[in-house]
Amino acid sequence: MTDIINTLAGIAAQDPLDKLRDHRAQAKDNAQLSFEALLEPAETGGFSHRDRYAVAAFTAGLLGAPAAEEFYRDLLRDEDEVASWEIAELLDEVLLELDSRSTVRGPYGTFESAALAAENVPGPWLSVEKKSSEVLGAQLAAGLEFAHLLVLHPRDSRPEHMALLLDAGWDEDSIVTLAQLVSFLNFQIRISTGLTALVHAPATTLPPVSDEPPEAGDGDGEATSARDSAASSKGSEALARVGERVSTYPGLTRPELFQQSGLGWVPWISPVAEADLTDVQREALIEAGRAKNPYFRLLARDPAALRARTLTDLDIFFNTTDGLGRAERELAATVASRLNGCLFCASIHSDRATEESGRRDLVQTLLDTGVETPSNLGDAVWDAVVDASAALTLTPQAFGPAHVNALREAGLDDGDIIDVLNCAAFFNWANRLMLSLGEPEVLAPGIPRR
């Protein structure tokens, strides 16, 4: 089948960049298999092809990716032309609201920790109107609201959002697939954006699109809209209705600040019990020890997607036959995680960046101060990686040919640059799963991560 990432980036088979992508052949192949598992599975369960294409087209539109939006809308038109037009109209309304608040771009949202309130960035929420809901169906409407959350303000995710999906007719398996789909698209579209810039970099020296991270509000939440309040009320009511199907952990010790290591993660909906894992699910884990981890057992609800995602991850980060150093790969993951507001992912990958580089204080500075561009860490390669990763993480993406040129000027070749793009884009997938399906906890000393 045609490689979708190459198609979106305008790269032909056997082009030089396609051959460079083959240096991470397992990642390339499994990114395509992720598309097939999530968009074109043989068995759809409770999440139809029509609804998958609708979520994909909507997600692509939110990401400011017209080629991807048209690609997925074309698939949707083949299933339901009326739904395709409804998605287009809904996107017009959402993007108009975003454009009217030009100071707000993703990732925005509110941290649960009061210690991080200075970084809160209020922004619009989506509540699908009755007319659209009647055309699309209540279940898809809830899925689109969830997609808006994951694309633009993933750190606003709370247990209530699981309850809203369950209440609208999604089951636990299909919720995991929905989260995987939206999160995967955040990877697919970002990597294709980066590769497109790499294609065009030799022909331009234009200055980069502004890639300043979102500016924080005053932290007191006064910009919360009436729709936000209504959504909160709906979420509380849904929690009451779904009961024990969603866990809220009232006594959980939650982290207050970004830190290196020391965090665990707990799921809001039930993972597959270890004793109940099927052979297919165990195989999808790739590493047998992951059967002890509730995160991977939760993702095992969609084993085909989990397997493809895991193999993509391992090749991007641990294939060191050539390319970018391990420290710089973990740095890119840390930047994306810090900017998206994923305290758990930032803790794991900042710790690994420290382990690989020996630069604990420098890594901690990034966690403490947040992502500032242009980066001024005092190392040309690290500064270029930080700026590139941040630009690719913004929604819409600000990454362009000038960032490619900056990476080249720092001494990276195009294979190294593809590694940077892969790492930053992948953590826009990983962060959204971690943020939307559960939350971090502070571990007591000596207690292993769950």
Side-chain angles (χ1 to χ4, degrees):
M1 184 176 182
T2 302
D3 185 284
I4 305 302
I5 288 173
N6 275 359
T7 298
L8 296 177
I11 299 172
Q14 299 304 306
D15 274 2
L17 287 181
D18 183 50
K19 291 179 179 178
L20 280 176
R21 287 191 70 209
D22 284 336
H23 288 223
R24 303 287 175 265
Q26 180 172 279
K28 178 184 176 184
D29 292 346
N30 281 281
Q32 179 63 26
L33 288 173
S34 295
F35 165 83
E36 294 170 17
L38 292 165
L39 274 302
E40 299 193 336
E43 301 292 333
T44 60
F47 191 3
S48 69
H49 284 116
R50 175 254 200 185
D51 287 2
R52 291 171 194 244
Y53 299 150
V55 170
F58 185 69
T59 298
L62 293 178
L63 286 167
E69 180 188 346
E70 182 57 30
F71 175 82
Y72 286 115
R73 279 195 64 208
D74 189 49
L75 293 175
L76 176 57
R77 274 192 290 269
D78 290 342
E79 297 285 329
D80 186 339
E81 189 166 359
V82 173
S84 177
W85 284 112
E86 193 65 37
I87 291 294
E89 291 180 12
L90 184 59
L91 273 171
D92 285 344
E93 295 170 6
V94 170
L95 296 176
L96 182 63
E97 181 174 13
L98 285 170
D99 289 343
S100 71
R101 303 172 67 161
S102 58
T103 58
V104 176
R105 68 188 307 168
Y108 56 82
T110 300
F111 285 99
E112 195 159 15
S113 168
L116 292 168
E119 296 186 31
N120 290 346
V121 182
W125 290 66
L126 173 64
S127 179
V128 177
E129 301 296 336
K130 182 179 179 181
K131 180 183 78 68
S132 294
S133 185
E134 289 174 349
V135 172
L136 299 172
Q139 181 172 324
L140 177 55
L144 295 174
E145 292 174 356
F146 185 69
H148 183 280
L149 172 74
L150 261 62
V151 173
L152 292 169
H153 48 131
R155 68 175 177 253
D156 277 329
S157 299
R158 301 290 186 268
E160 288 82 351
H161 298 112
M162 297 290 94
L164 286 167
L165 289 171
L166 291 167
D167 204 37
W170 296 83
D171 63 18
E172 285 81 355
D173 288 354
S174 60
I175 287 174
V176 168
T177 299
L178 174 63
Q180 279 274 33
L181 173 58
V182 177
S183 302
F184 163 71
L185 290 164
N186 274 271
F187 164 77
Q188 182 197 62
I189 290 171
R190 282 181 165 84
I191 189 62
S192 63
T193 296
L195 291 169
T196 301
L198 197 50
V199 169
H200 294 293
T204 182
T205 57
L206 293 174
V209 176
S210 172
D211 55 1
E212 284 293 320
E215 292 186 7
D218 57 15
D220 62 8
E222 66 182 3
T224 300
S225 67
R227 284 194 298 174
D228 183 3
S229 299
S232 177
S233 174
K234 284 171 52 181
S236 297
E237 294 167 2
L239 267 179
R241 283 192 292 271
V242 302
E244 294 182 356
R245 293 176 74 185
V246 174
S247 299
T248 59
Y249 305 103
L252 194 71
T253 304
R254 296 174 171 86
E256 296 186 359
L257 295 168
F258 286 88
Q259 64 186 64
Q260 297 184 50
S261 72
L263 298 185
W265 184 89
V266 293
W268 290 327
I269 56 176
S270 296
V272 180
E274 184 177 355
D276 295 336
L277 288 167
T278 66
D279 290 343
V280 170
Q281 289 170 326
R282 288 184 182 278
E283 183 184 355
L285 295 169
I286 304 300
E287 297 173 358
R290 292 184 172 190
K292 301 292 184 185
N293 187 310
Y295 172 67
F296 293 111
R297 285 190 283 108
L298 179 57
L299 296 187
R301 287 182 173 277
D302 189 334
L306 170 59
R307 177 181 172 80
R309 178 195 174 277
T310 299
L311 292 173
T312 304
D313 177 10
L314 294 176
D315 201 32
I316 287 173
F317 282 91
F318 296 102
N319 181 344
T320 55
T321 54
D322 60 5
L324 194 68
R326 283 277 300 120
E328 288 71 31
R329 298 186 203 198
E330 297 295 348
L331 176 65
T334 301
V335 171
S337 302
R338 182 62 176 84
L339 189 50
N340 280 323
C342 185
L343 279 81
F344 179 80
C345 292
S347 75
I348 299 298
H349 294 279
S350 62
D351 188 52
R352 290 181 182 171
T354 290
E355 180 181 344
E356 296 290 344
S357 70
R359 295 173 162 182
R360 176 168 294 278
D361 290 345
L362 196 60
V363 172
Q364 190 61 45
T365 295
L366 178 62
L367 295 182
D368 291 343
T369 63
V371 179
E372 298 176 349
T373 57
S375 175
N376 189 28
L377 295 175
D379 179 288
V381 171
W382 277 41
D383 284 335
V385 169
V386 168
D387 289 345
S389 301
L392 201 61
T393 297
L394 294 175
T395 304
Q397 299 84 64
F399 187 90
H403 295 96
V404 173
N405 291 336
L407 289 162
R408 287 173 174 164
E409 289 170 5
L412 276 62
D413 63 27
D414 286 0
D416 300 331
I417 292 170
I418 290 175
D419 280 339
V420 174
L421 299 174
N422 271 329
C423 293
F426 186 84
F427 265 80
N428 279 281
W429 184 353
N431 293 161
R432 284 170 171 81
L433 289 174
M434 283 287 183
L435 286 166
S436 68
L437 296 173
E439 61 183 303
E441 64 171 340
V442 177
L443 296 176
I447 301 297
R449 288 198 303 272
R450 293 197 230 188

